[in-house]
Amino acid sequence: MGLCALAGVLVAGVMFPVAGGLGVLAGRISTSVATLSSQLANVPPPLMTTLTDADGRPVATLYEQFRIPTTWNQISTTMKAAIVAIEDRGFFSEPPLNARGMLRAAVNNATGGARQGGSTITQQYVKNYLINVVDRHDRLAQMRDQDPTLLRKLKEAKLAANVAQTRSKEDILTGYLNVVSFGNQTFGVGAAARYYFNTTADRLTVEQAALLAGMVENPNYENPYRFPDHALQRRNLVIDAMLDTHAITARQAAEAKAKPLGIVTPRPPLPPNSCYAAAPESGFFCDYVVSYLQQAGMTREQLASGGYTIRTTMDSRISALAKQAANHRVPTNQPGVANPFVIVKPGPDGHRVLALVSNRDYGTDAHAGQTSFNQAADVSVPFGAGSVFKIFTAAAALEQGKAGLNTPLPNPFAQCFPQPRGAPCAVIHNAGPAYPNPISLQQALATSPNVAFTDLELRAGLPSVLEMASRLGLRHTMRSNMFGQNPGPAPKGATNTAAYTEPQSVYNLNNIVFTLGFSPFSPLELANVAATVADHGRWCPPNPILSMTDRDGRPVPLPESPCEQVVAPALADALMHGLSDDITGAGTSAAAASAAGWKRPTAAKTGTTENNESVAFLGITDGYAAVSAVYADGDHPGTICATNPPVIGAGCAGAFGGIIAAPTFFEAFNEILKGQPDLPIPAPDPSYLEAANHGPIVPYTVGRPVGQAEDALTRAGYPVHVQRVRSDRAVGTVAGQTPQGNVPRGQPVTLYVSTVT
């Protein structure tokens, strides 16, 4: 009587719900199944995302579940036969529901017997899809998906019936073999074939297919690495089932059972599943790609499950040579000293990032010289780039006509400069008394006197110099606080709360030593500053991605900030020419260039902070822009000694940018450019040789609310055209503008206004 009643419930709940006592149950089932059916149709299985270099070679993988998708034709006949023989012999000939098995399992489970399944492959497919795909992030939901209750069984049965009505047997079996777990964190037969046998699903032999099919029942207990004897017994049981169903002959069965398990030994690791597992020259690049895509609106979960193929701009050859040079100058496990090195290539299609490396490796083992902080891309250098920041003062002065490359600048050995807010004057010294006084701007760029540049900074105006730093490329840097972090509340007891609460663009309005480069910065952004100069004053976002496709091979559009002409091309070319004497004569990197046999035309600037805790070198040559920085990155920072390799010490001769940062650049580019012809430095427009009025300057409005920007431009005599773009700036603020620099009044200006953060 109980079995008859249960059969009635099954028929009523699954086949045709009716009114009455069963109607309520049927209604609950129907409502739930409608939602689950939608999830089955719209939640795809998580797939592995692959990052490649510019040539398409894989450099990293990201995934939640190790799964290699396979089609019907990519699964061997033996594998299909094995799973049908052991799990559901009537799969191709019988209905998707096994009512007798369901009744037996339901009664057995309800009366306390050993739990039974009683499911067809179609039902198992539904159950596994819910557990491994739809509810994979919800442990409680996964437990409900496996509840031994009648209601759960009825839902599963009705879902299976729905699936059977809309999909072919081949499609269901393929889906099942792609979604089911094979243990050891592998999902789907494609991944299982790779993991256990280092083969593909279409080449699985009888004994291999039987082992995998046998594991489906209980992947943990039938794990051949943990329980080889039980796995062998289960495999042979599957082989017998294949013989019973006439999938193989008696001879094939005997030969297969005589063979060992044949799994890969020793137990293999899973494929790399993070940027930490990437090669040493790829880890920081991988991390930057992930951050870049997150800023574009993607989540880590999407990246780890979407099955994307991301072709990056990384040049593997250049990255390897850059990494080799950084490691040679500063060994990976050198205590307390880091050497991030970044190379960017400006071109018609934007600024491509080619290499993001450091002597450190990207990882979590500090004892092995690894770091989980992206030293190459983030605002990571806490002590500044030193005199490299004098580039921003020179650019602002050239734009305003306050100085030309030949303009003599006052340059006494020391001078006391007035400070904002009525503070006492600050005494600025040159590094020594040998500098000429006066000194031309071009000579000053090569030899780097502090007094001349501090004076020029004040004449150009700190707001203009800070704005120029952002315009040329220090975008995130200038938005961060003085610790390289997003501005936030100051810690309790902090004596300088502004350093925590204000972005650098605000904090440094009161610091006349900004031009001396004491502020934290991003090596990547500083390299992109060099790319902007090399690109005739055109800023573009430092782009790490060439293309991105989804699991079906369809292109994935990525929002990107538009390129901006941030200074006049003639100004950028004049600045580049002004930087061309650093590697010759009395230039601060001349000795390092000579030691490396370097003779290529190069625009360069070195920098050293006051306590020698950080040094840097910016270089532009043959169409490449690069930055090498060496800084104290340990828990107890101090002076970097001018030793080989550099160490942290006290009472030693402090290192300079031309001594330990520049050699990394010269060593790498001697190999990168081997056999390539030289490219000349552009000649300066004569109007930038002397102090001159270059005409009206378009107000710079990037980052301001669109209403304020329109007002400023209109008052200055420039018509405004607004274009909406996707951007990581706040909605309704200006993400970019063209043109910029010295432009005749009356010429229209386009504002690119952010619509999506």
Side-chain angles (χ1 to χ4, degrees):
M1 291 175 61
L3 288 174
C4 289
L6 186 56
V9 171
L10 286 171
V11 171
V14 178
M15 299 304 179
F16 41 90
V18 295
L22 298 177
V24 175
L25 177 62
R28 289 175 59 190
I29 293 171
S30 296
T31 301
S32 177
V33 166
T35 300
L36 293 174
S37 294
S38 175
Q39 291 174 321
L40 287 175
N42 298 314
V43 181
L47 296 184
M48 184 163 57
T49 288
T50 301
L51 279 68
T52 77
D53 67 6
D55 294 324
R57 291 184 290 263
V59 297
T61 50
L62 309 171
Y63 60 89
E64 286 184 3
Q65 298 175 353
F66 176 38
R67 175 182 283 108
I68 300 174
T70 53
T71 65
W72 174 260
N73 293 329
Q74 291 172 329
I75 303 173
S76 69
T77 302
T78 53
M79 185 67 225
K80 299 166 189 170
I83 200 72
V84 168
I86 196 64
E87 292 295 327
D88 183 6
R89 296 188 182 187
F91 174 71
F92 284 105
S93 58
E94 297 180 1
L97 306 180
N98 183 347
R100 181 177 299 174
M102 288 175 63
L103 288 170
R104 181 183 65 249
V107 171
N108 186 74
N109 295 343
T111 57
R115 185 167 298 179
Q116 296 181 7
S119 298
T120 64
I121 282 179
T122 307
Q123 290 173 268
Q124 290 185 51
Y125 168 63
V126 167
K127 179 179 177 180
N128 278 276
Y129 207 97
L130 292 174
I131 295 170
N132 296 334
V133 179
V134 175
D135 296 326
R136 65 185 186 276
H137 298 136
D138 189 337
R139 184 62 181 158
L140 290 177
Q142 287 181 321
M143 294 173 65
R144 288 194 295 269
D145 295 335
Q146 302 172 78
D147 261 348
T149 62
L150 177 61
L151 180 61
R152 200 274 300 172
K153 270 292 183 183
L154 291 175
K155 290 179 182 178
E156 178 188 283
K158 186 160 188 178
L159 272 172
N162 290 354
V163 168
Q165 289 176 353
T166 58
R167 300 175 66 172
S168 68
K169 294 283 188 179
E170 290 83 357
D171 192 24
I172 293 170
L173 185 56
T174 302
Y176 174 71
L177 286 172
N178 271 290
V179 79
V180 72
S181 169
F182 287 91
N184 292 307
Q185 301 179 58
T186 62
F187 293 81
V189 68
R194 170 80 60 83
Y195 182 80
Y196 290 105
F197 303 111
N198 195 26
T199 189
T200 52
D202 62 322
R203 302 178 68 179
L204 288 167
T205 62
V206 171
E207 62 274 12
Q208 291 172 340
L211 177 66
L212 296 182
M215 293 178 65
V216 168
E217 180 188 57
N218 190 330
N220 293 324
Y221 186 52
E222 288 145 10
N223 184 335
Y225 290 108
R226 296 182 60 197
F227 307 108
D229 292 339
H230 185 76
L232 182 64
Q233 181 183 0
R234 176 71 176 169
R235 182 202 72 174
N236 291 343
L237 180 65
V238 176
I239 293 173
D240 288 337
M242 295 174 73
L243 178 61
D244 289 345
T245 56
H246 308 292
I248 57 175
T249 65
R251 178 177 178 179
Q252 288 175 309
E255 290 176 348
K257 292 173 73 172
K259 292 181 179 179
L261 287 175
I263 55 177
V264 174
T265 55
R267 179 176 174 175
L270 289 168
N273 182 24
S274 71
C275 295
Y276 291 138
E281 66 273 14
S282 308
F284 292 116
F285 205 108
C286 172
D287 179 73
Y288 177 57
V289 170
V290 172
S291 298
Y292 186 90
L293 290 171
Q294 285 183 296
Q295 290 179 7
M298 302 192 73
T299 65
R300 281 189 176 268
E301 190 276 328
Q302 285 177 306
L303 290 173
S305 64
Y308 299 104
T309 299
I310 303 169
R311 185 173 165 229
T312 74
T313 58
M314 192 185 94
D315 186 308
S316 288
R317 172 180 168 270
I318 290 177
S319 291
L321 291 172
K323 173 65 173 170
Q324 179 180 313
N327 284 4
H328 181 235
R329 305 308 305 182
V330 186
T332 299
N333 58 358
Q334 182 74 7
V337 184
N339 184 190
F341 185 27
V342 180
I343 301 174
V344 178
K345 178 76 170 176
D349 57 348
H351 294 178
R352 294 185 179 183
V353 184
L354 304 186
L356 283 170
V357 302
S358 175
N359 67 311
R360 304 290 188 216
D361 296 338
Y362 188 59
T364 57
D365 187 351
H367 294 292
Q370 296 180 348
T371 177
S372 58
F373 195 55
N374 196 327
Q375 294 181 335
D378 292 343
V379 184
S380 59
V381 184
F383 308 111
S387 294
V388 175
F389 274 31
K390 292 170 181 173
I391 290 174
F392 307 127
T393 294
L398 285 169
E399 183 173 72
Q400 296 176 22
K402 297 290 176 63
L405 295 180
N406 294 339
T407 299
L409 306 177
N411 188 40
F413 169 66
Q415 184 171 332
C416 201
F417 290 96
Q419 295 195 84
R421 298 180 178 175
C425 68
V427 179
I428 303 297
H429 295 267
N430 287 331
Y435 290 97
N437 180 22
I439 187 173
S440 73
L441 177 56
Q442 182 149 355
Q443 286 178 296
L445 286 167
T447 58
S448 210
N450 294 332
V451 174
F453 273 103
T454 304
D455 178 74
L456 188 61
E457 175 191 55
L458 293 177
R459 286 196 283 132
L462 262 169
S464 297
V465 174
L466 294 169
E467 182 184 83
M468 182 61 71
S470 180
R471 285 163 63 183
L472 290 177
L474 294 190
R475 305 289 173 98
H476 291 291
T477 293
M478 298 304 289
R479 291 201 291 266
S480 70
N481 66 15
M482 289 302 295
F483 299 94
Q485 304 164 353
N486 292 328
K492 186 176 181 180
T495 57
N496 186 359
T497 58
Y500 294 90
T501 59
E502 295 179 348
Q504 291 192 45
S505 58
V506 175
Y507 180 88
N508 285 311
L509 286 170
N510 299 310
N511 284 275
I512 65 170
V513 291
F514 174 78
T515 193
L516 306 184
F518 71 99
S519 304
F521 72 97
S522 158
L524 171 60
E525 285 201 319
L526 192 57
N528 201 40
V529 166
T532 300
V533 176
D535 200 11
H536 310 290
R538 187 180 70 136
W539 174 89
C540 299
N543 182 19
I545 296 175
L546 288 176
S547 65
M548 183 172 178
T549 54
D550 64 15
R551 65 179 64 214
D552 299 315
R554 295 172 299 197
V556 177
L558 294 173
E560 185 177 1
S561 297
C563 295
E564 307 168 21
Q565 190 68 44
V566 293
V567 295
L571 187 156
D573 292 349
L575 181 59
M576 190 167 169
H577 181 86
L579 294 167
S580 63
D581 289 342
D582 196 272
I583 65 167
T584 62
T588 55
S589 61
S594 177
W598 183 265
K599 298 180 180 178
R600 291 179 180 270
T602 304
K605 186 75 192 75
T606 65
T608 305
T609 55
E610 183 176 5
N611 296 318
N612 304 91
E613 294 173 314
S614 177
V615 300
F617 177 84
L618 175 150
I620 305 168
T621 189
D622 289 342
Y624 295 91
V627 162
S628 167
V630 179
Y631 72 99
D633 75 333
D635 293 333
H636 303 286
T639 296
I640 303 174
C641 300
T643 55
N644 188 16
V647 298
I648 302 297
C652 63
F656 290 85
I659 295 176
I660 63 170
T664 303
F665 173 93
F666 294 131
E667 180 176 329
F669 275 95
N670 267 331
E671 294 299 319
I672 292 169
L673 298 175
K674 185 179 290 185
Q676 296 185 29
D678 292 340
L679 295 178
I681 298 292
D685 186 298
S687 66
Y688 285 96
L689 294 178
E690 307 296 339
N693 182 2
H694 299 291
I697 300 174
V698 179
Y700 185 76
T701 62
V702 175
R704 298 173 65 179
V706 62
Q708 293 182 15
E710 288 184 289
D711 289 344
L713 290 165
T714 301
R715 286 197 305 271
Y718 296 97
V720 178
H721 170 68
V722 174
Q723 182 173 329
R724 307 288 173 176
V725 297
R726 295 175 64 92
S727 168
D728 63 355
R729 290 186 179 271
V731 172
T733 61
V734 178
Q737 68 178 78
T738 55
Q740 294 175 18
N742 305 94
V743 178
R745 289 187 176 89
Q747 181 170 331
V749 174
T750 299
L751 295 180
Y752 302 95
V753 178
S754 176
T755 58
V756 178
T757 55

